[in-house]
Amino acid sequence: MLKKIALLLWGSLLFVTCSWDLDSANSFTVTGTLTDSDGSPVSGGTVILEDDSEHRAATDSNGNFEFDDLSAGNYSVSGEIDGWIVVYEEDSYLSLRWEESVEIELTAYDLSESLPISVIQGSNAKSSLDGESVVDIEGVVTKLNTADYDGFFMQTATIDDYDFSSSCGIFVYTEDEDGSGTVSTVPYDLAVGDLVKVSGTVTELQVENYLGYSDGLLTVTTLTDPVAEVLTEDYTTTYGEPDPIVIGDSASADISPGDITTAEEMIDFMEAMEGMRVTVESPVAVGPESYSNMPVILSGVTYDLETEFSDNYGLLIHEDNLNPERMFIYYEDFDDVVLPGTTFNNGGDVTGVVNYTGDGVYTIEPTDSDDIGEEADTSYSTVSKETTTVTHTDGTLRVASYNVENFGVELDDDGDQDTDSRDDQASELAEDYVDRLLSPDIMVMVEMGDDYGSTVYNENTKYTYYVPDGNTSAEGNFEEFADSIYSDSGFDGDESDDPLNYVDVEPEDGEEGGKPGMNIRVGVMYRSDRVTFTQRGDANYDDGVAPTLDDDGNIQLTYNPGRIIDDAFDGSRRPVVAEFDFEDGDGENHRIIVIGVHFSSKGSDDPYYGEIQPAVCYSEESRIEQAEAVGNFVTQCLSLDPDANIIVAGDFNDYAFSDAAQVLISTTGLNDLTGDYLDSDDCYTYSYYGNSQQLDLMLVSDNLYGATSADGVDIVHMNSEVGWENEHSDHDAIVSRFAW
């Protein structure tokens, strides 16, 4: 762990356990000397110590300064002198704990002279020289360009004793003002291995994601407006490349990520090497690549956090462990899809430069394709598309839930409807329904889009908006889906009877979130040869459904299908509610109430590896309120009939252990089928940057819970870990069987 972290934790622990010693010291004295980089004293400067207040001391003709009557605590150390930067090279903080008299040394660097890169970077996340002009900064070019920007990385040629307090590498941004090319003040033939000197402006470059958003993301210390000169071409051929920092647990490693337990610690760990060459020992992928980012852990490292893997070597998450120790390799040129279990460079090490990208992660960008290998080694990966083990048996009901990822018509670049893309998607989803899910009787379909494709206006990359056109029906999409199923020889129904049907309540145009212009909603597909659906009423988007009892005392919906209407769902998908009747093998009828949900996304949350630590989940409150609204409806049903058969299924956009899921379970008594019946290494439906997590749930009332068993519940892993070339959606599906 970085020195700063160790110092703060050490000081805090001792303060708590031995506070009696602090009481014995009434005050502390700090003395020291301010010198320049040659060791000569600097007079007329100001040294600043700051805790809850600011303390200043001037340097005399010998560069000496003194502070008296200081209280115990942690103090930031800085200094001021016109045209210079003052650096406390021991650490960012001075901890006053035991010794009543402490002596420190500071160094002042003349901004009109060449500075070490480490001084520009400093020991904090942002450079104290942000906005300042610097001259003749020397370094060796280690890599050209980044995942996001044109430019080059350079690093101090020789590092005698790197102490992990500040980076010795930096990125030089070379794009011209309109982004059309490289500034003329940088040699066009600049190459990796050249020794260069650069003058420019120190800038904390704010990275952006692919949509142009930067909220909560970190900055990268950068030199902008550069004027570069090559001092020695191909310098490294003669003098060698700067030695990389070796990350791992071997005898030759310089530092290990094994003791990282929080995202903040991981940020500090990587920030101290920003822009530097590093070698990661024996990385292995723990998730499919996303935007060319490959999440990895180091196979030889012993981590303090308990690491639990999915069946396919993805990292499972827990309430107290979101796997902050993940690292990321950025590489665009693999021929194969990178899957969990993939190794690189024939199972060896990978060397590259540390960068922070608009995807909100620190990456290692390999410096040479020969270093990482032209293809990923997938021989250790066991990932394959699953087929459900929950098969059909006579007299049983099979219910599935599947997020079909924006299934519908979109517009192409010319503004025309792209039905070919929709038809291809329908064919893929049909394959999943028949061959992977084995044609369930009822299926909740999350993210069903409309048939039309609507114009989406891009004012710029940051602002996308949609003008409602009144088209919200999904009938055409379902018809294409059904036709694709009928054409699959594996479908066990009679096509001539047209048994496949779909119900939803069309959403309010453009008002329910999701991908702009698609009007996604939750619908329910069913087989009329297996269950009976009786339509009741014709609900509009703002008509709320309620449970009642029919003449025989059975649960009945006021609208079938209907939707739960509550302010908690403003700007998000309203849950669909549908009522079905199923006749078991003994001829007994069972009334089934299916509630399909798609709660608000996490899009408004802070980035996990972002500026705010720990990251704030702003969206969580809305999902809790949505869970309460669904819970109220379920409670109404159970108050009318305690033996009601109720299923709540879909995309919760939150974890099974989340407050939203637990609120719904605790207030209704619903049972979590996958959590109760499946092993923990099987409980995931989505992979996000290497974290295999369960966002989709199937909760059932007690009466239905009694009709299930361990061999009747399955999460079918057919998408989440198979990579973008092989997936038909970004979620896995859940299938459950009920037998009476």
Side-chain angles (χ1 to χ4, degrees), residues 171-444:
F171 180 65
V172 181
Y173 180 84
T174 64
E175 291 184 26
D176 56 21
E177 288 187 5
D178 60 8
S180 61
T182 299
V183 293
S184 60
T185 51
V186 173
Y188 72 92
D189 56 352
L190 188 77
V192 171
D194 290 346
L195 178 67
V196 299
K197 68 176 181 180
V198 180
S199 300
T201 303
V202 179
T203 303
E204 287 298 326
L205 183 65
Q206 180 63 68
V207 300
E208 297 178 341
N209 65 17
Y210 72 100
L211 293 174
Y213 288 100
S214 60
D215 293 351
L217 295 173
L218 299 174
T219 60
V220 175
T221 304
T222 305
L223 295 181
T224 59
D225 303 318
V227 177
E229 177 185 346
V230 176
L231 299 177
T232 305
E233 291 184 358
D234 203 14
Y235 172 89
T236 55
T237 298
T238 302
Y239 299 99
E241 295 180 291
D243 292 334
I245 302 300
V246 180
I247 304 174
D249 266 3
S250 74
S252 59
D254 298 303
I255 191 170
S256 171
D259 57 354
I260 289 171
T261 59
T262 67
E264 184 173 15
E265 291 175 358
M266 190 61 178
I267 290 170
D268 286 343
F269 181 88
M270 299 300 290
E271 169 67 26
M273 296 176 283
E274 178 187 274
M276 293 183 67
R277 296 183 74 235
V278 300
T279 294
V280 287
E281 294 185 327
S282 302
V284 57
V286 291
E289 63 183 282
S290 177
Y291 301 105
S292 298
N293 295 301
M294 290 159 285
V296 300
I297 62 169
L298 308 188
S299 57
V301 169
T302 300
Y303 292 96
D304 285 357
L305 285 174
E306 182 178 355
T307 303
E308 185 177 1
F309 295 99
S310 72
D311 287 339
N312 292 323
Y313 210 74
L315 279 177
L316 297 173
I317 67 169
H318 299 283
E319 186 171 7
D320 57 353
N321 181 10
L322 298 182
N323 302 311
E325 73 277 17
R326 289 167 292 154
M327 304 180 80
F328 298 86
I329 296 173
Y330 181 91
Y331 196 63
E332 296 179 310
D333 298 329
F334 282 131
D335 294 332
D336 298 328
V337 176
V338 174
L339 304 176
T342 298
T343 61
F344 311 93
N345 196 17
N346 297 316
D349 304 338
V350 173
T351 297
V353 176
V354 174
N355 186 34
Y356 183 81
T357 74
D359 296 316
V361 295
Y362 279 98
T363 60
I364 291 94
E365 300 190 9
T367 49
D368 194 320
S369 61
D370 292 336
D371 183 60
I372 191 171
E374 293 181 357
E375 295 186 356
D377 178 7
T378 59
S379 60
Y380 295 102
S381 177
T382 60
V383 178
S384 60
K385 283 178 171 282
E386 293 183 357
T387 297
T388 185
T389 58
V390 179
T391 57
H392 172 71
T393 57
D394 290 342
T396 63
L397 175 71
R398 294 172 67 249
V399 179
S401 176
Y402 190 17
N403 184 319
V404 294
E405 193 184 8
N406 298 318
F407 175 44
V409 175
E410 298 183 70
L411 299 185
D412 60 24
D413 293 338
D414 296 325
D416 299 323
Q417 288 187 325
D418 184 8
T419 56
D420 290 343
S421 177
R422 187 274 312 273
D423 296 350
D424 290 342
Q425 189 179 9
S427 178
E428 292 176 343
L429 294 174
E431 176 188 330
D432 292 341
Y433 175 79
V434 175
D435 300 334
R436 304 290 176 195
L437 306 182
L438 306 181
S439 306
D441 308 319
I442 298 172
M443 185 167 77
V444 174

Side-chain angles (χ1 to χ4, degrees), residues 540-556:
N540 196 5
Y541 65 78
D542 56 356
D543 291 326
V545 67
T548 62
L549 294 177
D550 64 15
D551 293 340
D552 297 323
N554 298 313
I555 284 285
Q556 179 175 284

Side-chain angles (χ1 to χ4, degrees), residues 583-660:
E583 187 175 291
D584 66 19
D586 296 327
E588 182 179 353
N589 185 70
H590 302 272
R591 177 68 51 83
I592 311 294
I593 303 297
V594 176
I595 304 171
V597 302
H598 186 195
F599 287 173
S600 296
S601 78
K602 294 176 175 286
S604 63
D605 295 350
D606 286 330
Y608 184 64
Y609 300 108
E611 186 174 17
I612 304 299
Q613 292 296 323
V616 179
C617 298
Y618 302 100
S619 63
E620 185 176 34
E621 183 177 351
S622 64
R623 287 190 295 277
I624 292 173
E625 293 174 351
Q626 291 166 1
E628 291 171 343
V630 173
N632 290 337
F633 182 86
V634 171
T635 300
Q636 292 174 38
C637 292
L638 294 175
S639 66
L640 292 171
D641 180 2
D643 294 327
N645 297 308
I646 301 172
I647 300 173
V648 180
D651 182 356
F652 281 65
N653 261 320
D654 218 335
Y655 316 123
F657 54 75
S658 68
D659 288 345

Side-chain angles (χ1 to χ4, degrees), residues 21-84:
D21 202 321
L22 296 180
D23 293 336
S24 66
N26 294 323
S27 65
F28 292 80
T29 298
V30 174
T31 60
T33 306
L34 175 64
T35 60
D36 63 18
S37 56
D38 295 325
S40 300
V42 176
S43 62
T46 301
V47 177
I48 304 169
L49 301 183
E50 187 170 1
D51 52 358
D52 294 333
S53 58
E54 187 176 87
H55 311 268
R56 290 173 168 260
T59 61
D60 61 20
S61 59
N62 294 315
N64 297 324
F65 58 87
E66 182 174 348
F67 294 88
D68 296 313
D69 297 325
L70 296 174
S71 301
N74 292 323
Y75 291 79
S76 65
V77 183
S78 61
E80 292 179 354
I81 184 170
D82 289 344
W84 298 63

